[in-house]
Structure formats: C-alpha cells, structure tokens
Amino acid sequence: MDILPEETPLWQYIERTAREVAAKYGYDEIRTPTFEPTELFARGVGDTTDVVQKEMYTFEDREHRSFTLRPEGTASVVRALIENGRCSDAMPLKLYYLISCFRYEKPQAGRSREFFQFGTEMFGAAAPSSDATVIALAADIIKALGIKDVVLHINSIGCPDCRPKYREALVEYFSQHTDELCDSCRERLKTNPLRVLDCKSPICSGIAKDAPKTIEHLCDGCHDHFESLKEYLTAMGIDYEIDTHIVRGLDYYTRTVFEFIAGGIGAQSTVCGGGRYDGLMSQLGGPALPGIGFAMGITRLILAMKASGVEIPEKSAPAVYIAPMGPAAAKYALSEVSKLRDKGVYAECDIVGRSLKAQMKYADKIGAKYTLVVGDNELEVGRATLKDMTGGENKEVALDSLSDLFE
Ligand code: HAM
C-alpha cells in the first residue's frame, strides 16, 4: 500500500497520539518480524478461522519451509515473549506495536490486503479491572484522535470450562438448519461451531442471529468476571452496549471480547477489535499467562476522523526560504539554512539552480512564510529584504543575524 507524502502527516499524527496515550498507561513498544512460520498462525489464530483458511499470504522459502506474512500481531508478540524468555518479567507486561498486516480479503473502503494496525497486549493480569483498563486505553486513543461517532460493544464468550456446553447448544441449534448453511459452515459445525457465528454469508449470518448466546451459557467465573467488567466501565464513565453477536474472527479469545464501531464510514466500521486470550500463551508453549489486548486499523481510524470532521494536520511549511542569486549568495544561503536547522527551524534555500522567478514560485508553492532574496548587492551591504509571503510587512534585515529572527 502506498501512503503518499500528503497523507503521511496524518499517519504520523495518529501514530504519535497512540504512542503517547499508550505511554501514559505504561506500555512499551515491541517490534516483531513481518513474516513468521505458518505454524504460528495456524496454532495461534486457529486453523478453522477464515484468516488461516482463506486469507493468509503463505510462501515457501528456498529450504521449503512454510512462512506467512503476519495477518495480525498477537500471536507474534506471544511467540516473541516465550522465545526471548520474558514471561517471568514483572507483571503486568504491557506492550504496543505499529505494524503492517496482510490478509487476502476482498478489498473495499476500509478493507485492504495490506493494512496497518496499532495494537496493544497486556500479559499477567487476569482480573476484570485489567479488561476495563485495556478498554479505557482504546477509548482514550479514539477520543484523543477526535473520533466522535463511536460505540463500544462488549460481550463475553466464556472459557474452556463453559465452552463445551455452549458448543453443544450451538450444534443443536445449527443442526436444525444444516441444509441452509453454506458448505464451509456445515464443515465448521463439526470442527468449530463457534465459527459459524462469524460467517460472512448473509444466509448463515441470518440464521446465526437467533443462535444461543454465549452470555447465557457462562460458568460462574466468567459470569462474575463480565459483571465486574461492566461495573468498572461504568465507574470509569465508559459507555458500552452489550452485543451478544460479537464472537471475533480469531480463535484465541476467552471471556471478554469488544469492538469499537464507528458511524458514517460504511460497512467496515470496526475501528478497533480486541479481547482476552488467557489460553494463548500456554497453547504456544509458554507458561499459563493470561493476556488481553486490541488492535486498531489505521485506515479505518482515518475514515472515522474524517467522518467526525477532525481537522487533519497538514505538512509543515518552511519558516523561511532563502533565494540566492549567484555562487557567493548560494554559499550564504546554505550556511544560513544550516544555522536555522540547528536551531530547530524549518528552512529551505534553492538547491536546484532555478531562476529567481522560478524560486519565488516554488517558495510560494511550499508555503514558505518568509523569503529572502540575496544577490551580490545584498552581500556587499550585508542587508536584504525579508518578504512576508502571507501579506504582512516586509522588513530590512542584517544578513549575519538572520537566524536570530527565528525561533
Ligand atoms: P482483528 O479484529 O482481526 O483483531 O483486527 C483488528 C482491527 O484491524 C480491526 O478492527 C480493523 O480495524 C483492522 N483490520 C482488520 N482487517 C483489516 C483489513 N483487511 N483492512 C483494514 N483494516 C483491517 C486482531 O488483529 C487482533 N490481533 C487484535 C487483538 C490484539 N486482540 C487481542 N490483542
């Protein structure tokens, strides 16, 4: 995916904001490889999920080992902690990442095959107050970006203790509709009935609407966890809706799952999705450390910011453009812009060899606030005219103290 220079200031703004908010919650950055052994995602994300079955970019290297471009970040972070022996660090361990991900999905507004996520993971905290904290972090980032029309949806999908009973209820329900289900769902009914709830086919999702709900089949532990989470969210002033249809498209989730849905951005409206995954670490060969996190799609955040009328930061413009005429003036211009840049001022001068007229046109195009034309005459008297390009007053300045005028 190309992100062109006029768009990058907005990307940088989102990335900076997310990093800053995450830092206030004590999160540190982690970076992991763009591709990993396919096995990691098959085991971590789940080999009956659409992501693994239909959407992965998988290839063999020269030694016929199977690798996959990461479709998401959680499995990689868990692997990295196990592999680097970080599971006995002080808990909770709080990490964030800014990554590109790859899924072979049908592209549309808000959905692309390469996409970017800001994601967070917290390990070693099982209490519902940690769920509330992670959700608060996501809500704070969304708020800091100025996204207004957004609703938090929460659900609980239980744990390995309550899942078998729920699974039975699902199989019983969907078995009455076997003939109507798509081929994949008929298969899913045998392998992983929970995935039928996540099918994108309109017929299957229509049937799934009336399927038994996870929250009606929670064990006492999961029920109490969910009740406490709701109380904590209320105490923190975070509005939410219970949405029993959220199951999430990845297999590792347990208990809390949540999504932030933005209005006015079309069908791909989930700007953030996440949940708890207490079994993933041990499933991937590590200790039984609970985990919870989320990821936000950057392109969807951009769509939501635009829909909320957020003023988009523009590319910065130079404070001053020095237009030299002749080689002696070019030397002055280069040394002066260096001084200005050393002071932290954005300054430009001609480095193309343009005519004066073309230089002035260029200075205007890049939005320079001031221009300074310097030729042999100006060098001789040591003074030149600082022209205010925004229509303000021009002033005579001493060439040797130009940098003092800018902060
Ligand atoms: P996910 O729901 O698959 O979760 O993706 C998270 C977010 O990434 C989505 O809500 C959406 O904003 C964005 N996204 C997903 N697919 C695309 C796409 N094709 N094009 C554009 N944006 C997309 C995860 O990936 C989990 N790893 C999140 C998580 C972290 N759960 C726990 N920790």
Side-chain angles (χ1 to χ4, degrees):
M1 190 167 138
D2 298 322
I3 303 158
L4 297 169
E6 53 281 13
E7 297 164 309
T8 45
L10 176 57
W11 284 73
Q12 288 167 354
Y13 173 73
I14 294 172
E15 290 163 7
R16 200 168 51 241
T17 305
R19 283 176 194 279
E20 281 169 10
V21 179
K24 281 196 266 178
Y25 282 75
Y27 279 72
D28 295 311
E29 184 174 1
I30 185 165
R31 300 187 188 195
T32 60
T34 309
F35 61 88
E36 300 262 9
T38 303
E39 168 80 2
L40 172 68
F41 302 114
R43 283 173 59 202
V45 172
D47 47 19
T48 55
T49 58
D50 270 5
V51 170
V52 169
Q53 284 193 339
K54 302 182 187 163
E55 297 169 3
M56 294 206 304
Y57 282 89
T58 297
F59 60 96
E60 276 192 357
D61 73 353
R62 285 169 191 273
E63 288 166 44
H64 305 293
R65 291 172 301 196
S66 180
F67 287 100
T68 293
L69 298 181
R70 64 180 161 219
E72 61 105 47
T74 310
S76 301
V77 172
V78 171
R79 178 207 49 72
L81 296 184
I82 298 171
E83 231 170 80
N84 293 285
R86 307 307 292 267
C87 301
S88 45
D89 282 12
M91 297 291 159
L93 193 55
K94 294 176 264 178
L95 301 164
Y96 75 81
Y97 48 86
L98 270 157
I99 55 170
S100 52
C101 300
F102 305 85
R103 293 184 196 172
Y104 193 87
E105 290 187 277
K106 200 161 173 232
Q108 62 181 92
R111 190 162 77 191
S112 48
R113 289 179 174 166
E114 183 190 11
F115 61 98
F116 296 86
Q117 282 188 345
F118 173 80
T120 77
E121 313 295 351
M122 181 194 279
F123 298 92
S129 47
S130 64
D131 304 43
T133 303
V134 168
I135 291 173
L137 166 59
D140 275 359
I141 294 171
I142 289 167
K143 191 169 158 207
L145 293 173
I147 297 168
K148 291 184 193 95
D149 183 7
V150 68
V151 179
L152 164 64
H153 292 224
I154 61 168
N155 191 20
S156 174
I157 58 168
C159 70
D161 284 345
C162 37
R163 201 66 63 73
K165 260 206 178 146
Y166 179 60
R167 199 185 146 113
E168 261 174 45
L170 273 186
V171 172
E172 197 184 314
Y173 172 79
F174 283 120
S175 298
Q176 298 160 21
H177 299 274
T178 339
D179 296 345
E180 300 150 76
L181 294 175
C182 71
D183 290 348
S184 310
C185 280
R186 270 202 290 273
E187 195 50 40
R188 286 175 183 135
L189 202 49
K190 292 183 219 144
T191 53
N192 190 352
L194 215 80
R195 290 273 70 92
V196 180
L197 298 171
D198 196 36
C199 181
K200 286 167 193 132
S201 120
I203 297 177
C204 298
S205 49
I207 298 169
K209 275 205 174 85
D210 297 323
K213 298 176 174 50
T214 48
I215 50 170
E216 288 160 4
H217 292 80
L218 298 179
C219 61
D220 289 349
C222 290
H223 174 267
D224 293 350
H225 187 99
F226 196 49
E227 290 307 306
S228 301
L229 168 63
K230 290 188 278 182
E231 282 167 23
Y232 289 142
L233 289 176
T234 305
M236 293 171 98
I238 299 171
D239 293 334
Y240 61 85
E241 276 179 18
I242 294 170
D243 181 349
T244 53
H245 291 109
I246 303 182
V247 286
R248 313 273 302 128
L250 315 162
D251 265 356
Y252 47 64
Y253 291 111
T254 51
R255 294 193 163 173
T256 309
V257 285
F258 59 92
E259 291 182 349
F260 286 82
I261 313 278
I265 65 167
Q268 300 307 312
S269 53
T270 309
V271 288
C272 172
R276 176 166 284 287
Y277 48 88
D278 290 347
L280 184 59
M281 179 75 84
S282 53
Q283 195 186 317
L284 293 178
L289 266 188
I292 178 164
F294 63 79
M296 300 176 167
I298 310 277
T299 36
R300 293 190 196 175
L301 291 174
I302 291 175
L303 291 174
M305 286 167 77
K306 288 185 178 162
S308 299
V310 175
E311 242 174 75
I312 307 301
E314 285 179 10
K315 189 176 183 301
S316 59
V320 59
Y321 177 92
I322 304 179
M325 289 187 300
K331 255 191 237 166
Y332 167 79
L334 280 175
S335 79
E336 210 55 35
V337 292
S338 289
K339 273 191 230 160
L340 285 161
R341 289 169 185 159
D342 281 350
K343 280 185 73 178
V345 176
Y346 173 22
E348 295 257 20
C349 68
D350 179 62
I351 45 169
V352 177
R354 288 189 168 102
S355 69
L356 182 60
K357 194 174 159 206
Q359 287 195 50
M360 297 312 279
K361 215 168 141 189
Y362 178 71
D364 192 43
K365 195 171 164 188
I366 59 175
K369 176 135 182 14
Y370 289 101
T371 54
L372 188 80
V373 179
V374 183
D376 291 343
N377 287 345
E378 284 80 8
L379 286 178
E380 213 174 291
V381 296
R383 299 187 75 76
T385 306
L386 190 65
K387 184 175 176 205
D388 188 332
M389 301 290 279
T390 59
E393 237 173 78
N394 299 341
K395 37 184 176 206
E396 271 273 302
V397 297
L399 292 185
D400 59 4
S401 58
L402 180 71
S403 62
D404 298 341
L405 301 176
F406 295 90
E407 282 310 322

